[in-house]
Amino acid sequence: MEKRWWKESVVYQIYPRSFCDSNGDGIGDLNGITEKLDYLKELGIDVIWLSPVYQSPNDDNGYDISDYQAIMKEFGTMEDFDNMIAAAHERGIKILMDLVVNHTSDEHKWFIESRKSTDNPYRDYYIWRPAKEDGSLPNNWGSCFSGPAWEYDQATDMYYLHLFSKKQPDLNWDNPAVRQDVFDMMNWWLKKGVDGFRMDVISLISKEPGLPDKEPGINGYATFNVSANGPHVHEYLQEMREKVLNNADTMTVGECSGVTLEEAKKYACSDEKELNMVFQFEHMDVDADEKTGKWCTRKMNLCDLKEIMTRWQKGLQDVAWNSLYLENHDQPRSVSRFGNDSDKYRELSAKMLATCLHMMQGTPYVYQGEELGMTNCPFDTLDNIRDLESINAYHELTQQGKISHEDMMAAINYKGRDNARTPMQWSDEKNAGFTTGTPWIMVNPNYTKINAMEQLSREDSVFRYYQKLIRLRHENEIIVYGTYDLLLPDDPDIYAYTRSLGADKLLVVCNFSENTRTFSIPDQFTNGSIMISNYKDPTIQNNMSIRPYEAFVIKK
Ligand code: TEU
Ligand code: CA
């Protein structure tokens, strides 16, 4: 397998709005990030993925961009950006920009022009369609954020497509001028010194010709990702590779809603003609409900998770490259979802989840606060929710009688995206040390117990455990490049697997439950040594008793 720096790196995702506020306006900003680079250096990460910092009216917190070459005023200036990137590079930390080019904001100058008339030079930058003959919408596609994916525009008596909010019109990638403008913009950022891109819903850029109706989902519309992996997506990414990505030593990860293993082999193929890796979503759907989709409080079945992760580990081995994640800004906190966030088990289970993920093959991503074992937040009422996805889904599904108020609030508290977006918990000072002002979203009340300052002062903290996992990956090639093999596929509590590279071997054992279980250590590991563990000094023996949420790694 070819060695690459981006295979050996650990990435840290920053959601700037919620990371650190340097000027007391309640909103995180670029200077706040610069202030915390030493913290990230101490954690040991190699790369930062910066969620969008471009100019935006913030309908979807920066994922609706009105100018790709300007910084969002609330986050600072272009000078602040240049300072931040220079300070990161001084510390050997690379920066990935979030590239959101499936759509723009409706306040982007391209769209302002496009909607003016059918013969405007920017008309074909977006996807316009008239109503069907019977006056109904152009097709039955739905928006990811509720309702139809079409918005009527009076000026030209037509509809435009928006797979996300109506303030996020989809670009028409079949238009070569759109592609060229996007590529020019990307080259401009590369010239500024950014090290690569995380590409927002890049699997959706090529729409199926004819935009046919699809199978409707729970709210009556076809889900936003029905048209994923369209006919020209690989062609467009290969063009991007030639015209942009090969101009520097870049790292790229495509957020690929609706990606299958077979498609991922093309996007992230080792021939490096498209992207380096993709974010797949199968393990994020592991606890979804057949009827209500993500909006439920169901717990996953561990065997399902093992099946999914193993299929991706084995499936991409030698032909492509995996990304590894349990959290991002769109997902609830992993310790509340897949672990146990009670006082008794929160730290143990957060470390267990980290062990399970960080010992796999692929590039690991840590989402801000995950390294502290930050938990979901008790929002309780809709007033505390800021995310348009949760708010819209609440109104749509309760009004349609598809789900009760109580069940929907429970689902939002459990799965809503705002769980990841509460301020980073730096200390036990007011507002968790995030801001001296009024935070734009509530602070999780548990910051007095769970915060970075406390964890930095304690050797057995979740932070210190992450630090060790990252260091081990940097020091042991087997963790990066070793082959993965699953043990005990049908065990409901234990996730165990091996990694092998040449004569070296690792055994990873993780208990996802509160049950104490007996596990028989394969012979070749009984004389091995413990590389890392979340309980103090487990004794390796043939029939080992595995305690609640216990995790350890044995090196042969
Ligand atoms: O997300 C798109 C996506 O496919 C999902 O993660 C989706 O947001 C999620 O399932 C809803 O719960 C990307 C960004 O990560 C997200 O923050 C943006 O809102 C969205 O694109 C639009 O740009
Ligand atoms: Ca600020």
Side-chain angles (χ1 to χ4, degrees):
M1 197 181 309
E2 297 281 344
K3 292 187 180 169
R4 290 285 181 271
W5 64 264
W6 42 263
K7 294 181 181 173
E8 297 168 10
S9 295
V10 177
V11 184
Y12 187 89
Q13 183 191 351
I14 292 182
Y15 195 68
R17 203 174 189 77
S18 305
F19 192 61
C20 178
D21 174 20
S22 71
N23 63 353
D25 66 355
I27 296 173
D29 46 52
L30 295 174
N31 289 337
I33 295 171
T34 307
E35 275 174 31
K36 296 297 184 184
L37 288 171
D38 285 331
Y39 168 85
L40 298 179
K41 186 71 197 160
E42 168 137 28
L43 181 58
I45 56 97
D46 309 279
V47 178
I48 292 171
W49 149 25
L50 204 57
S51 272
V53 296
Y54 317 91
Q55 189 174 300
S56 162
N58 284 307
D59 190 49
D60 186 19
N61 289 352
Y63 283 90
D64 48 321
I65 297 168
S66 53
D67 186 343
Y68 290 106
Q69 278 153 277
I71 297 294
M72 191 190 301
K73 290 202 178 61
E74 294 166 324
F75 289 177
T77 63
M78 194 57 82
E79 204 188 337
D80 297 337
F81 181 88
D82 292 338
N83 285 338
M84 181 201 67
I85 197 166
H89 285 165
E90 256 167 47
R91 290 164 177 77
I93 295 175
K94 294 184 155 74
I95 303 274
L96 299 187
M97 296 299 275
D98 208 320
L99 183 80
V100 188
V101 290
N102 172 70
H103 44 269
T104 68
S105 162
D106 64 338
E107 299 180 33
H108 193 287
K109 62 176 188 239
W110 299 339
F111 191 75
I112 294 172
E113 286 302 313
S114 185
R115 76 196 315 175
K116 282 182 181 163
S117 66
T118 54
D119 57 5
N120 187 283
Y122 287 93
R123 185 64 171 182
D124 285 338
Y125 269 53
Y126 296 86
I127 300 171
W128 293 95
R129 291 289 183 280
K132 279 188 184 156
E133 259 169 33
D134 63 0
S136 62
L137 296 171
N139 71 17
N140 75 343
W141 295 5
S143 153
C144 177
F145 301 142
S146 299
W150 295 98
E151 181 73 8
Y152 179 70
D153 205 51
Q154 215 157 21
T156 56
D157 186 31
M158 280 205 212
Y159 293 83
Y160 64 86
L161 180 72
H162 60 89
L163 296 179
F164 295 89
S165 97
K166 62 178 185 223
K167 287 186 67 60
Q168 293 167 299
D170 281 55
L171 283 165
N172 174 17
W173 272 71
D174 295 332
N175 179 349
V178 167
R179 302 203 295 277
Q180 196 53 52
D181 276 350
V182 169
F183 298 158
D184 288 347
M185 174 273 283
M186 292 174 75
N187 275 319
W188 184 86
W189 282 102
L190 283 183
K191 272 221 181 84
K192 273 183 94 61
V194 309
D195 303 285
F197 302 94
R198 174 269 185 187
M199 301 184 189
D200 194 67
V201 283
I202 204 70
S203 53
L204 304 185
I205 59 175
S206 168
K207 272 62 176 179
E208 198 174 321
L211 311 180
D213 282 340
K214 297 274 174 167
E215 191 67 35
I218 181 188
N219 64 354
Y221 300 106
T223 90
F224 74 99
N225 61 10
V226 283
S227 58
N229 316 309
H232 302 293
V233 66
H234 298 292
E235 194 186 303
Y236 297 157
L237 289 175
Q238 286 164 25
E239 187 184 349
M240 181 193 283
R241 165 63 58 186
E242 280 159 26
K243 294 189 173 159
V244 181
L245 302 173
N246 282 344
N247 294 338
D249 183 13
T250 53
M251 167 172 175
T252 50
V253 50
E255 190 209 25
C256 288
S257 311
V259 71
T260 58
L261 184 63
E262 290 315 306
E263 284 295 323
K265 289 180 190 168
K266 302 181 201 160
Y267 287 112
C269 182
S270 326
D271 66 6
E272 295 181 44
K273 291 199 166 125
E274 297 183 25
L275 307 175
N276 297 142
M277 63 194 99
V278 301
F279 291 130
Q280 59 90 11
F281 282 89
E282 288 187 34
H283 65 308
M284 291 290 111
D285 295 332
V286 68
D287 51 3
D289 178 273
E290 256 177 45
K291 259 179 53 207
T292 58
K294 77 179 265 184
W295 301 116
C296 64
T297 54
R298 175 166 102 71
K299 285 276 176 193
M300 68 150 174
N301 173 334
L302 179 65
C303 294
D304 295 341
L305 181 73
K306 291 195 275 191
E307 187 277 319
I308 294 167
M309 299 307 275
T310 303
R311 191 154 37 75
W312 283 82
Q313 288 285 298
K314 301 303 285 177
L316 297 193
Q317 165 85 36
D318 295 327
V319 297
W321 190 250
N322 272 295
S323 68
L324 304 171
Y325 74 97
L326 292 176
E327 290 189 19
N328 61 41
H329 65 293
D330 294 331
Q331 300 295 334
R333 292 294 183 173
S334 58
V335 69
S336 302
R337 183 183 190 181
F338 304 126
N340 183 329
D341 63 10
S342 68
D343 285 348
K344 189 165 173 201
Y345 291 129
R346 185 184 61 81
E347 292 220 337
L348 275 172
S349 67
K351 293 172 188 170
M352 182 279 291
L353 291 171
T355 314
C356 188
L357 190 76
H358 282 248
M359 286 293 150
M360 289 185 187
Q361 190 190 72
T363 300
Y365 289 73
V366 180
Y367 178 71
Q368 65 184 44
E370 186 178 1
E371 79 279 17
L372 305 176
M374 273 179 65
T375 67
N376 277 355
C377 180
F379 293 107
D380 299 329
T381 69
L382 207 57
D383 280 353
N384 288 326
I385 300 294
R386 297 284 173 274
D387 176 24
L388 83 168
E389 185 200 31
S390 294
I391 295 171
N392 293 354
Y394 172 87
H395 291 302
E396 179 170 67
L397 298 175
T398 57
Q399 273 160 26
Q400 291 181 350
K402 298 273 165 61
I403 188 163
S404 70
H405 163 80
E406 288 73 24
D407 288 352
M408 192 61 192
M409 283 316 298
I412 289 174
N413 268 289
Y414 189 56
K415 289 288 210 46
R417 305 196 298 180
D418 280 346
N419 284 300
R421 300 175 180 186
T422 61
M424 177 72 178
Q425 292 164 209
W426 293 108
S427 70
D428 63 3
E429 286 158 44
K430 192 166 172 250
N431 297 321
F434 161 73
T435 181
T436 55
T438 307
W440 70 276
I441 186 172
M442 76 182 271
V443 177
N444 192 319
N446 65 18
Y447 72 90
T448 50
K449 278 187 317 205
I450 306 173
N451 63 70
M453 203 196 241
E454 189 279 330
Q455 296 205 16
L456 282 165
S457 73
R458 181 160 55 85
E459 271 319 301
D460 66 351
S461 65
V462 181
F463 178 93
R464 295 288 175 206
Y465 196 88
Y466 266 88
Q467 190 180 43
K468 184 163 181 194
L469 281 172
I470 294 168
R471 197 180 68 233
L472 286 173
R473 175 169 283 263
H474 289 151
E475 291 170 354
N476 296 273
E477 280 207 332
I478 185 172
I479 300 177
V480 179
Y481 295 109
T483 305
Y484 164 105
D485 286 287
L486 182 70
L487 306 174
L488 307 177
D490 300 321
D491 190 296
D493 298 333
I494 305 254
Y495 194 152
Y497 59 91
T498 58
R499 301 289 307 278
S500 316
L501 187 70
D504 292 341
K505 249 179 175 240
L506 301 180
L507 171 68
V508 182
V509 178
C510 297
N511 185 353
F512 273 70
S513 79
E514 273 180 64
N515 308 326
T516 300
R517 293 285 312 272
T518 311
F519 178 80
S520 81
I521 301 289
D523 284 344
Q524 48 181 330
F525 292 102
T526 45
N527 292 320
S529 58
I530 295 282
M531 203 177 209
I532 187 167
S533 63
N534 65 349
Y535 278 80
K536 269 194 201 108
D537 313 320
T539 325
I540 304 172
Q541 52 195 18
N542 237 308
N543 271 319
M544 259 179 95
S545 171
I546 314 288
R547 293 160 282 190
Y549 299 104
E550 181 157 12
F552 55 81
V553 180
I554 302 178
K555 190 175 188 167
K556 191 180 85 176

